Amino acid sequence: MVTSQFATQLPQDNQDLSGLLGQHLIYTYSNGWRYELYIKNSNHVEYRVHASVKDVNPLAGRWVKDQKAVIARLGNGMYSIAWNEPTGTCVNLVMDTEQRWVHFTGFLAKWVSDHPELTVVFQNEHLAEIQALRDAGPIAPQVQADLFGTISFAEYSGTDNEQVIASPPGDVPDGFLDRTN
Amino acid sequence: MVTSQFATQLPQDNQDLSGLLGQHLIYTYSNGWRYELYIKNSNHVEYRVHASVKDVNPLAGRWVKDQKAVIARLGNGMYSIAWNEPTGTCVNLVMDTEQRWVHFTGFLAKWVSDHPELTVVFQNEHLAEIQALRDAGPIAPQVQADLFGTISFAEYSGTDNEQVIASPPGDVPDGFLDRTN
């Protein structure tokens, strides 16, 4: 095999996720929707949906721990993070931790789009209820959403740290979300 | 506003899709599944699922025209292409047309995963039947898939060209899929 210092490396050949694992990120989409995401380990994420700084986010107040996710490295500082929620909603994020942007492609279950307020809970304490709502549906046709956002804060918090996402979004201290780095 | 020749441009500030629109692409995932995708215009794609060159692809033979899609530019030559199928399946591709790779994140409707053979049709001629199957479900829990692939052939074929994806996958001429460029 011919190798070169300058050979293009395909992302499938480098799945080192160490630049992402344990990261605790705060980002805001162009419509003002503000999220907090913790990359707990190579196959779990946790998040809080915060009050929007512009358009109302009907999902604000929702928070989730131990969401199974599939994470792949796409390039330098760039990752795909995707998960299937117990609600029936599917989420795909592409995140560039160097340029500090995120692109969201989501497919909201129709019942979630119709009644987002039913999912504004600490989901882990309402799993049976959420899954019953999902099974009642309808899930399709899903409502597709596409958003760009910018990452304002990123901090390594270790992996499997139960203290990062540990209280409702409304309970974070003043200024917590406005930190930048 | 301070501007610089070297300022980092965020992808949300450049949504020029001209490098992707009209492209006709052939790519193969690491498991041997081979696909053909035509970026018909800024909000439609068409595709054929070809016979695998390694593991059996239970969706081989399926083909689709005029699938609504949301396309976003993520960087130089890099795009997100995402769609929600009438089956209830959700698809998200990240495609790098310069480095020639594709990353697939898909959420197969459970009924599709259980009975893929029911979707191996020219979908446009079976829409009512497919939607009835989708509504019968179940859609959840979706089966999440994550695959990397390499693009072996890419050709600009104009936009809104009805001749690119116009016959069943099994009808392509000998050597058609083996072209490289």
Side-chain angles (χ1 to χ4, degrees):
Chain A
M1 191 174 88
V2 178
T3 58
S4 154
Q5 184 183 351
F6 305 105
T8 299
Q9 187 178 43
L10 293 172
Q12 47 268 54
D13 298 326
N14 178 355
Q15 287 301 305
D16 177 3
L17 304 179
S18 58
L20 186 69
L21 302 185
Q23 288 290 319
H24 174 207
L25 305 131
I26 297 170
Y27 48 94
T28 306
Y29 290 112
S30 54
N31 60 2
W33 293 6
R34 201 180 237 185
Y35 284 76
E36 191 187 356
L37 181 73
Y38 170 50
I39 312 294
K40 192 173 194 177
N41 54 47
S42 61
N43 48 20
H44 289 92
V45 297
E46 304 191 333
Y47 66 85
R48 292 192 274 214
V49 187
H50 291 282
S52 174
V53 295
K54 202 160 70 181
D55 305 344
V56 170
N57 184 348
L59 294 172
R62 172 174 166 80
W63 63 296
V64 170
K65 283 180 70 73
D66 293 311
Q67 170 65 55
K68 283 193 83 168
V70 177
I71 302 176
R73 181 182 176 279
L74 300 182
N76 287 336
M78 190 182 290
Y79 305 92
S80 163
I81 309 159
W83 64 86
N84 179 12
E85 308 208 326
T87 59
T89 290
C90 301
V91 173
N92 196 94
L93 299 179
V94 175
M95 193 168 267
D96 187 322
T97 57
E98 291 185 0
Q99 289 193 9
R100 293 282 195 111
W101 56 262
V102 57
H103 179 254
F104 165 85
T105 306
F107 301 91
L108 260 71
K110 186 174 186 309
W111 76 267
V112 174
S113 181
D114 290 343
H115 295 288
E117 71 281 2
L118 298 178
T119 69
V120 179
V121 292
F122 174 33
Q123 182 174 269
N124 299 59
E125 288 185 345
H126 297 268
L127 271 182
E129 179 189 335
I130 290 285
Q131 286 172 348
L133 286 162
R134 175 195 75 187
D135 292 340
I139 294 175
Q142 289 96 332
V143 177
Q144 187 169 353
D146 179 79
L147 289 168
F148 276 105
T150 52
I151 299 169
S152 52
F153 183 80
E155 175 175 76
Y156 178 72
S157 300
T159 54
D160 297 311
N161 181 346
E162 299 296 347
Q163 303 312 310
V164 180
I165 303 292
S167 60
D171 288 4
V172 299
D174 282 354
F176 177 87
L177 296 168
D178 297 321
R179 293 173 295 164
T180 56
N181 65 3
Chain B
M1 193 175 88
V2 180
T3 58
S4 155
Q5 184 185 351
F6 305 107
T8 299
Q9 188 178 42
L10 293 171
Q12 47 267 56
D13 298 325
N14 179 355
Q15 286 302 304
D16 177 3
L17 304 179
S18 58
L20 185 68
L21 302 185
Q23 289 291 320
H24 174 207
L25 304 132
I26 297 171
Y27 48 93
T28 305
Y29 290 112
S30 54
N31 59 2
W33 294 4
R34 201 182 237 186
Y35 283 76
E36 191 187 358
L37 181 72
Y38 170 50
I39 313 294
K40 191 175 195 178
N41 55 46
S42 61
N43 47 21
H44 289 91
V45 297
E46 304 191 334
Y47 66 84
R48 291 193 274 214
V49 186
H50 290 282
S52 174
V53 295
K54 201 159 69 182
D55 303 345
V56 170
N57 184 348
L59 295 172
R62 172 174 166 78
W63 63 296
V64 171
K65 283 181 68 75
D66 293 312
Q67 170 66 55
K68 283 194 83 168
V70 176
I71 302 176
R73 181 183 175 279
L74 300 182
N76 288 335
M78 190 182 290
Y79 305 91
S80 163
I81 309 159
W83 65 87
N84 179 12
E85 308 207 327
T87 58
T89 290
C90 302
V91 174
N92 195 96
L93 299 180
V94 175
M95 193 168 267
D96 187 322
T97 57
E98 292 185 1
Q99 289 195 8
R100 294 282 194 111
W101 56 262
V102 58
H103 179 254
F104 165 85
T105 306
F107 301 91
L108 260 72
K110 185 173 187 308
W111 75 266
V112 174
S113 181
D114 290 344
H115 294 288
E117 71 282 2
L118 298 178
T119 70
V120 178
V121 293
F122 174 33
Q123 183 174 267
N124 300 59
E125 287 186 346
H126 297 269
L127 271 182
E129 178 189 336
I130 290 286
Q131 286 171 349
L133 286 162
R134 174 195 75 187
D135 292 342
I139 294 175
Q142 290 95 331
V143 177
Q144 186 169 353
D146 179 80
L147 290 168
F148 277 106
T150 52
I151 300 169
S152 51
F153 182 79
E155 172 174 78
Y156 178 73
S157 301
T159 54
D160 297 311
N161 181 347
E162 298 297 347
Q163 303 313 310
V164 180
I165 303 293
S167 60
D171 287 5
V172 300
D174 282 352
F176 178 87
L177 296 168
D178 298 321
R179 294 173 293 164
T180 57
N181 66 4

